[in-house]
Amino acid sequence: MESFSVHKDLEVYKSLIDVLPKGKFIPTNIFQAEFMHYPKQQQCAIDLLQQMEDNGVMPDLEMEDMLVNIFGRRGYPLRKYWRMMYWMPKFKNLSPWPLPKILPNDSLELAKIAIARMASVDLQTEITVYQSADIAESIDDTWIVSAQSPTQRELLERHNVQKPVYVEGSFRIWLQNASVNYFILRTDNNDIVKSLVEDPDDVSHIKVPSFEIPQAESVVSKVPTLHEQEDGIILAICATGTSSRDSLLSWVRHLEKTGNHILSKAPVVFSVQSPATTDIPVSTLNSESSEKISMIENDK
């Protein structure tokens, strides 16, 4: 169904279910109902409904009538349908980052959606699209989708120029069935202050008010921002068209031109891994292995 791009079409699933005969598979007693009358046909319908659920296709009331006419009200496919109609409407609009039903095929548009999703933790984040060709020393000619907030710029301005700034990646974010590789600009967080907010689930130090003298807290600390995490301070994120070192270097140069002048003074360390390679088809592997076997037999 995916090869014909109909794996998300409800009418196609209804047409497949409508092929089954009406009334023949309906159980007539309790033993047939509980021991799965016509098990192969019922399992086939259940697998079809499971495929609908995996592809995010929500059934309608007409499909319920079709399943009742085919398997009866005690059939297992109808039970599967009822479970789907209970849970799928609850999760349909639950995500705070809704995606279009049909994702764009353009990698640039996918990168914009992915970066906007990750940068939504800070409402002041600015998403900018750069071109690596604008940098004179650039080799790659590709796009760069960058996200940085004013808070991240302030954190970068307070950064000690004696300490390095790291460009790390690539990491992967999934948008339905499509993935986008992204990179982060971070630095070490050496000024970690223990949070004064008590964890209500922590039972390691249970206080007994009847036997303890209450003491006022005398520690004053600055509340860390969302970008200051325990493993480092996130200063910016980006996605590029080639995910190469040269495109990331162009990204750093563009950040220098947009108010992050500290990057020209602090050392920048590129801790970058190559993105995941594409899968090799099995037919190609089989053909290559058969060629090697034939060469070995010829040598013998």
Side-chain angles (χ1 to χ4, degrees), residues 42 58 72 76-77 113 144-145 148 222 225 228 259 273:
Q42 291 202 49
M58 186 180 301
Y76 283 87
I113 296 174
I144 303 169
V145 181
Q148 191 181 39
K222 186 177 180 180
T225 62
E228 297 179 74
Q273 299 177 356

Side-chain angles (χ1 to χ4, degrees), residues 6-300:
V6 295
H7 59 288
K8 293 188 177 183
D9 191 350
L10 177 60
E11 297 299 326
V12 175
Y13 289 101
K14 291 164 64 174
S15 300
L16 292 175
I17 293 178
D18 195 37
V19 173
L20 297 173
K22 311 300 185 293
K24 183 177 179 60
F25 304 142
I26 297 178
T28 57
N29 53 62
I30 189 173
F31 296 102
Q32 291 181 352
E34 292 302 323
F35 287 96
M36 205 171 188
H37 194 47
Y38 286 92
K40 291 184 178 180
Q41 288 77 4
Q42 291 202 49
Q43 189 61 46
C44 179
I46 292 173
D47 293 341
L48 190 65
L49 293 173
Q50 183 63 44
Q51 184 174 339
M52 291 178 58
E53 185 176 358
D54 295 339
N55 293 324
V57 181
M58 186 180 301
D60 56 1
L61 296 178
E62 183 182 359
M63 182 172 287
E64 181 182 9
D65 296 335
M66 295 170 62
L67 293 174
V68 170
N69 294 331
I70 296 172
F71 299 104
R73 301 195 65 85
R74 293 184 177 272
Y76 283 87
L78 190 63
R79 302 179 192 180
K80 173 66 176 176
Y81 167 85
W82 286 336
R83 289 194 297 268
M84 291 172 61
M85 291 301 292
Y86 178 80
W87 288 109
M88 292 187 71
K90 294 179 181 295
F91 293 107
K92 181 180 180 181
N93 300 318
L94 192 61
S95 176
W97 303 283
L99 294 174
K101 292 184 178 180
I102 300 177
L103 288 176
N105 294 325
D106 189 8
S107 57
L108 175 58
E109 297 299 325
L110 285 175
K112 290 180 181 179
I113 296 174
I115 296 298
R117 167 179 287 195
M118 292 183 291
S120 62
V121 294
D122 193 342
L123 299 179
Q124 294 181 337
T125 302
E126 301 172 359
I127 299 177
T128 311
V129 179
Y130 301 115
Q131 295 295 328
S132 60
D134 297 338
I135 304 299
E137 298 83 3
S138 176
I139 300 175
D140 293 346
D141 185 6
T142 184
W143 48 262
I144 303 169
V145 181
S146 176
Q148 191 181 39
S149 66
T151 305
Q152 290 174 311
R153 292 194 186 95
E154 294 178 3
L155 293 172
L156 187 56
E157 286 296 327
R158 298 200 301 264
H159 176 68
N160 188 359
V161 295
Q162 302 298 328
K163 297 180 181 180
V165 178
Y166 301 94
V167 178
E168 294 183 350
S170 63
F171 306 101
R172 179 174 292 183
I173 180 174
W174 287 91
L175 304 174
Q176 293 182 1
N177 296 328
S179 63
V180 177
N181 294 319
Y182 69 95
F183 302 84
I184 63 172
L185 180 70
R186 75 161 189 91
T187 183
D188 295 331
N189 191 359
N190 298 323
D191 300 329
I192 301 177
V193 179
K194 186 177 180 181
S195 177
L196 299 179
V197 180
E198 297 183 359
D199 186 6
D201 298 326
D202 186 10
V203 295
S204 59
H205 301 285
I206 300 178
K207 296 181 180 180
V208 183
S210 302
F211 301 98
E212 294 183 358
I213 300 176
Q215 297 179 357
E217 296 287 348
S218 60
V219 180
V220 178
S221 63
K222 186 177 180 180
V223 178
T225 62
L226 293 172
H227 311 288
E228 297 179 74
Q229 303 295 325
E230 293 183 358
D231 56 345
I233 303 176
I234 309 300
L235 301 174
I237 58 175
C238 82
T240 69
T242 58
S243 298
S244 62
R245 292 177 180 268
D246 184 75
S247 61
L248 295 175
L249 181 59
S250 301
W251 174 48
V252 175
R253 294 290 181 263
H254 276 292
L255 290 178
E256 291 181 14
K257 294 181 178 180
T258 54
N260 303 284
H261 306 291
I262 198 71
L263 291 175
S264 60
K265 303 176 183 178
V268 180
V269 180
F270 288 81
S271 178
V272 179
Q273 299 177 356
S274 59
T277 56
T278 56
D279 298 333
I280 302 175
V282 178
S283 59
T284 305
L285 295 176
N286 293 336
S287 61
E288 292 179 356
S289 59
S290 60
E291 291 178 359
K292 292 181 181 179
I293 293 173
S294 60
M295 293 174 61
I296 294 173
E297 292 178 351
N298 294 332
D299 293 339
K300 291 182 178 179

